[in-house]
Amino acid sequence: MRVLDVTEFFSERGGGVRSHLTLKGHVLCQLGHEHTILAPGSMPIDMGRSRLIRVGGPSMPYDASYQLLWRPDLVRRVVRQEHPDILEIHSPYVAAMGALASPRSTFGARTFFWHSDFIDTYQHVLLEREVLGFRLPRAARKMITEPLWAWVRRIGRACDATIAAARWQVDKLRSHGVPRVVHLPFGVDKRVFYTRPRSQEIRASYGVSPSDVMLVGVGRFAIEKRWDVVIEAFLRLRKTRPAKLVLVGDGPERARLERLAAGSGDIRFSGFVKDRDALATLLSSADALVHGCPYETFGISIAEAVSCELPVVVPDLGGAAEQTEPGFSETFTSNDAHACSAAIARLLSRDPGELRASAKRAAAKIATVEEHFTALLALYTDLLAQKTIR
């Protein structure tokens, strides 16, 4: 089977979609399939056994590490040349325009992978906040978002399946009229993310003393991730007990978050940890993971933490909440720093051994990346068979 993935969610720094496509290529190529990625940019990147085709384009306005596939005609040309069995769209911008413009005769089946709830995310974070003392009326917000949902419906109707990793996103897409939505949860690379011995050396490297609690947060520093809620919650918690917070990641909000944390020597910004084994060791060495984003379409960082038997504190909405069970987690009212701080305190008051034992049981139920991509291949095979019947 020949699979062509087209995406603009592809950063030079890394990111969730790039990690997903890297793992996808590894599994598919091991099974004897051909895997090609079409993404913007010019820098050569090692994608293992997958083939990467890069096309230069303008930077996105909010985060310059991402670019647009600005030439739909080049997307169509690549699709025609590759003639894939599966043409999969991974971003809803110009890449989708080029993929939708490709004639049906140039590919077998076309799918849409819903990685980012970009409409409601920015509606909540940007449109519902006051800007210069002014808040957009609800009717105006609907006028802005409804054409975007119409575009998503257009993509979905032109595809043989739309794939979403979280149940709440499946329900939302269907409620907005997107047809043929398939629920397919992501898997975790359990060759990397498993329980490792707690490293006192790692804890000490972040200034964690034996009496300190060590909290971690992992993800992109973007406005919708609500790291401001996590930082404010930690600063409240820090007034009552010795603790350190390690934030792993980078992004356009880093400078603002560093200013928010200024004056506290208990918050460390590590940047991206590209070594996955090092990240798994960090997770295994911490006391809890704290997450602030209520808009996650899955929450892979939470699943990876649980696979390392790490208890978690997450918002009560979105894919993050969908990853949790009461035995190893606490939830809080989304976007509420006071509630987040209280949830962290509740978790830390519980028995650590029982929390980790519950996380271990939950980790056994999380799919592996091999199981995820095997299910994805089964979906592809079914779609191609349906096309043959038609």
Side-chain angles (χ1 to χ4, degrees), residues 93 204 207 298 303 364:
Y93 307 129
F298 182 72

Side-chain angles (χ1 to χ4, degrees), residues 274-301:
K274 294 186 178 180
D275 185 328
R276 307 299 279 172
D277 287 288
L279 177 59
T281 301
L282 174 61
L283 292 173
S284 297
S285 301
D287 296 298
L289 178 134
V290 186
H291 199 71
C293 180
Y295 316 113
E296 293 287 357
T297 50
F298 182 72
I300 191 64
S301 64

Side-chain angles (χ1 to χ4, degrees), residues 190 192-198 280-281 283-285 304-310 356 359-360 363:
K190 294 188 178 182
V192 175
F193 293 97
Y194 58 87
T195 308
R196 299 159 185 252
R198 173 173 289 197
T281 301
L283 292 173
S284 297
S285 301
E304 290 171 346
V306 174
S307 294
C308 294
E309 299 179 20
L310 183 63
R356 288 187 178 270
K360 182 177 182 179

Side-chain angles (χ1 to χ4, degrees), residues 100-359:
L100 295 190
S102 298
R104 277 278 179 180
S105 60
T106 59
F107 58 87
R110 184 166 48 200
T111 55
F112 179 33
F113 213 118
W114 183 249
H115 287 286
S116 172
D117 185 0
F118 73 107
I119 300 173
D120 280 10
T121 291
Y122 291 105
Q123 173 179 297
H124 287 301
V125 175
L126 297 178
L127 301 183
E128 293 190 359
R129 283 185 171 185
E130 287 191 6
V131 179
L132 299 178
F134 176 75
R135 188 189 302 272
L136 283 174
R138 184 173 297 276
R141 296 200 298 270
K142 186 174 181 181
M143 288 177 60
I144 293 172
T145 58
E146 182 49 40
L148 298 176
W149 276 115
W151 171 238
V152 172
R153 286 192 292 274
R154 166 74 179 85
I155 298 173
R157 288 167 183 165
C159 291
D160 299 289
T162 293
I163 304 162
R167 173 58 62 188
W168 81 288
Q169 285 293 303
V170 171
D171 295 340
K172 176 181 283 189
L173 288 164
R174 288 173 177 169
S175 73
H176 282 281
V178 179
R180 298 179 292 279
V181 183
V182 178
H183 181 216
L184 188 61
F186 286 127
V188 169
D189 188 352
K190 294 188 178 182
R191 299 164 302 177
V192 175
F193 293 97
Y194 58 87
T195 308
R196 299 159 185 252
R198 173 173 289 197
S199 171
Q200 296 300 332
E201 182 180 357
I202 289 285
R203 291 172 69 92
S205 71
Y206 288 104
V208 180
S209 71
S211 62
D212 283 337
V213 166
M214 181 179 178
L215 305 175
V216 296
V218 180
R220 181 168 169 255
F221 295 162
I223 193 168
E224 75 275 10
K225 296 296 186 179
R226 298 314 309 267
W227 292 114
D228 56 321
V229 171
V230 173
I231 290 173
E232 185 179 340
F234 174 79
L235 293 176
R236 288 173 178 267
L237 178 81
R238 186 63 185 81
K239 295 176 182 178
T240 64
R241 65 190 307 161
K244 294 289 190 297
L245 173 63
V246 179
L247 294 177
V248 179
D250 208 341
E253 295 298 308
R254 178 164 179 168
R256 185 176 72 89
L257 295 175
E258 288 178 334
R259 288 194 298 271
L260 188 62
S264 172
D266 298 320
I267 301 177
R268 304 295 180 90
F269 291 82
S270 75
F272 276 117
V273 177
K274 294 186 178 180
D275 185 328
R276 307 299 279 172
D277 287 288
L279 177 59
T281 301
L282 174 61
L283 292 173
S284 297
S285 301
D287 296 298
L289 178 134
V290 186
H291 199 71
C293 180
Y295 316 113
E296 293 287 357
T297 50
F298 182 72
I300 191 64
S301 64
I302 292 94
E304 290 171 346
V306 174
S307 294
C308 294
E309 299 179 20
L310 183 63
V312 300
V313 177
V314 301
D316 58 357
L317 297 175
E322 207 167 296
Q323 299 295 321
T324 64
E325 297 175 8
F328 63 86
S329 68
E330 291 285 346
T331 60
F332 62 90
T333 303
S334 296
N335 304 323
D336 186 331
H338 180 77
C340 179
S341 182
I344 299 170
R346 290 196 305 271
L347 187 83
L348 296 177
S349 70
R350 295 167 60 180
D351 182 87
E354 291 180 2
L355 287 168
R356 288 187 178 270
S358 179

